[in-house]
Amino acid sequence: MSSFDQDDLLKRLRRIEGQVAGISRMVADDRYCIDVLTQVSAVTKALQSVSLKLLDAHLAGCVVDAAREGGPEADAKVREASEAIARLVRS
């Protein structure tokens, strides 16, 4: 993963941390449930976005490199990526 991608992901994750802290405060303040759920939905979408960026970086880097090399390592990387995609789809 390039440092630019890593910096972008870290910024996104810090923003998500702030959103989660905000949700905790909302719950502690006994805020309206629908408002809390709206924020939970926003965090969920943000985490999905981070997941897709990580998956894209993995496919473009590790999986492509392993596929070029061939052999059991390539099969393992493709299987690993497929399992990660399946987990994302289920979540």
Side-chain angles (χ1 to χ4, degrees):
M1 178 180 318
S2 73
S3 64
F4 173 76
D5 293 337
Q6 188 177 29
D7 290 345
D8 179 57
L9 287 174
L10 289 170
K11 285 178 192 173
R12 288 171 183 258
L13 288 168
R14 282 192 289 277
R15 195 173 319 125
I16 291 167
E17 283 180 296
Q19 288 176 292
V20 171
I23 292 169
S24 293
R25 285 189 300 275
M26 291 176 79
V27 170
D29 293 344
D30 199 28
R31 295 278 299 272
Y32 187 55
C33 293
I34 298 301
D35 293 341
V36 176
L37 288 170
T38 299
Q39 293 307 308
V40 168
S41 177
V43 168
T44 301
K45 295 280 188 209
L47 283 170
Q48 288 171 341
S49 176
V50 167
S51 295
L52 291 174
K53 289 209 173 279
L54 285 168
L55 180 61
D56 185 54
H58 181 66
L59 290 172
C62 296
V63 175
V64 167
D65 291 345
R68 283 188 187 122
E69 300 269 329
E73 180 70 16
D75 294 339
K77 289 293 181 187
V78 169
R79 186 173 42 259
E80 180 183 66
S82 179
E83 290 168 0
I85 292 166
R87 284 192 302 274
L88 287 172
V89 169
R90 284 191 300 267
S91 65

